[in-house]
Amino acid sequence: MARSQPYQPLLLRILHGVVALVALGAVITSYWVYDLFDGRWLKLSLPNVNGMIGIHGTFGLTLLLIMPLFAVYAFYIGHKRLVQPDSFTKSLQFNKPISAYSFHRIVNTLMLIAVTWALITGRLMQEKWLPSGDLDIIWYSLHLSSWVLLLLCLLAHIVMGLKVGGQRLMLSMVALKVRPDDTPSMWWQKFKAWQNQRGQK
Amino acid sequence: MNKNNMPLAIAEILVLGGIVLAFIVPLVIKTG
């Protein structure tokens, strides 16, 4: 029997897709900025693009504006995909499949924290520091740490996604198919139903 | 707030609080 394709809610796909694209843009342009002005640990000598700091800042600001929506969705509607009270103990049961699922949920949560850390430290950066060679400022070091953390979490997020759901899960996050009961016109109705359900708990 | 899930509640405070902080931090801390 053919396995059915997992279905992801449209709002999750939209928010996750936009956040992922903007965050990826921020990660790539941040490396570019590092390569142009710093390069102490690794240097690829990327071409000098005028205003690269501004481009990175635009990605960062866009991420700051859309992240609240995604975070509220993740913690209030999609919380089952995030860390659970027993996630830490179950993630250590390596001989059971629940281990990977639990670890995936922990990683999903860490991903949100890593993005937030990048946003906070990025907001403390000043555009003039790197062109003037001020590389030892603490806020810049913290922002660099957020880049490493974000990259590690992104890698774990993809690896664990592939492990628990394989290619099907990955494709379901970018699928264009929409169920009739999941169109934007139905969202308000679903939101009210979800609110009632929460009120009864 | 997810009262029955302490790890999630902590993550929620870190992320939602962190986002609010990211909005206001340049007004509070002058780094330049």
Side-chain angles (χ1 to χ4, degrees):
Chain A
M1 199 170 80
R3 287 173 66 191
S4 61
Q5 179 82 24
Y7 183 82
Q8 308 297 343
L10 179 61
L11 188 55
L12 170 66
R13 277 180 279 162
I14 293 171
L15 291 172
H16 183 269
V18 174
V19 166
L21 280 178
V22 177
L24 210 59
V27 166
I28 293 167
T29 52
S30 64
Y31 180 78
W32 208 311
V33 168
Y34 161 83
D35 201 73
L36 288 177
F37 297 102
D38 190 341
R40 279 174 290 179
W41 298 281
L42 178 73
K43 194 162 175 70
L44 299 178
S45 300
L46 295 172
N48 192 356
V49 175
N50 275 337
M52 187 47 81
I53 293 178
I55 295 169
H56 174 63
T58 305
F59 274 114
L61 193 61
T62 311
L63 192 58
L64 179 64
L65 295 176
I66 54 175
M67 193 56 190
L69 293 173
F70 186 54
V72 167
Y73 179 94
F75 285 108
Y76 289 89
I77 299 172
H79 59 92
K80 285 179 183 162
R81 293 173 170 86
L82 298 177
V83 68
Q84 303 299 313
D86 56 359
S87 291
F88 296 104
T89 48
K90 285 189 171 165
S91 67
L92 296 173
Q93 296 171 2
F94 299 114
N95 51 342
K96 294 180 182 168
I98 190 71
S99 168
Y101 289 98
S102 299
F103 194 62
H104 186 221
R105 287 175 187 148
I106 294 171
V107 166
N108 289 348
T109 312
L110 284 177
M111 192 77 212
L112 291 171
I113 295 171
V115 172
T116 307
W117 179 237
L119 290 173
I120 297 171
T121 55
R123 288 282 281 169
L124 290 163
M125 287 290 296
Q126 298 284 324
E127 283 196 17
K128 61 188 178 196
W129 288 342
L130 298 187
S132 57
D134 293 330
L135 305 179
D136 298 322
I137 293 173
I138 182 74
W139 307 116
Y140 174 56
S141 303
L142 291 176
H143 198 44
L144 274 180
S145 79
S146 77
W147 185 83
V148 175
L149 186 70
L150 197 56
L151 214 61
L152 290 174
C153 286
L154 180 63
L155 195 69
H157 184 57
I158 294 169
V159 168
M160 292 316 295
L162 280 169
K163 188 164 171 60
V164 301
Q167 209 180 348
R168 284 167 182 276
L169 177 64
M170 294 293 169
L171 291 175
S172 73
M173 289 306 295
V174 291
L176 298 175
K177 192 181 165 188
V178 182
R179 283 181 183 165
D181 65 343
D182 192 26
T183 54
S185 59
M186 300 294 286
W187 287 350
W188 181 246
Q189 228 171 310
K190 286 179 106 174
F191 175 72
K192 296 296 278 181
W194 170 78
Q195 229 180 5
N196 286 338
Q197 209 180 0
R198 271 176 71 89
Q200 284 165 6
K201 277 184 186 173
Chain B
M1 173 82 70
N2 297 277
K3 290 169 193 159
N4 301 322
N5 184 346
M6 196 45 77
L8 191 64
I10 293 168
E12 190 181 335
I13 291 167
L14 287 176
V15 173
L16 296 181
I19 291 169
V20 172
L21 195 65
F23 274 102
I24 63 167
V25 82
L27 306 173
V28 180
I29 303 174
K30 297 283 176 213
T31 58

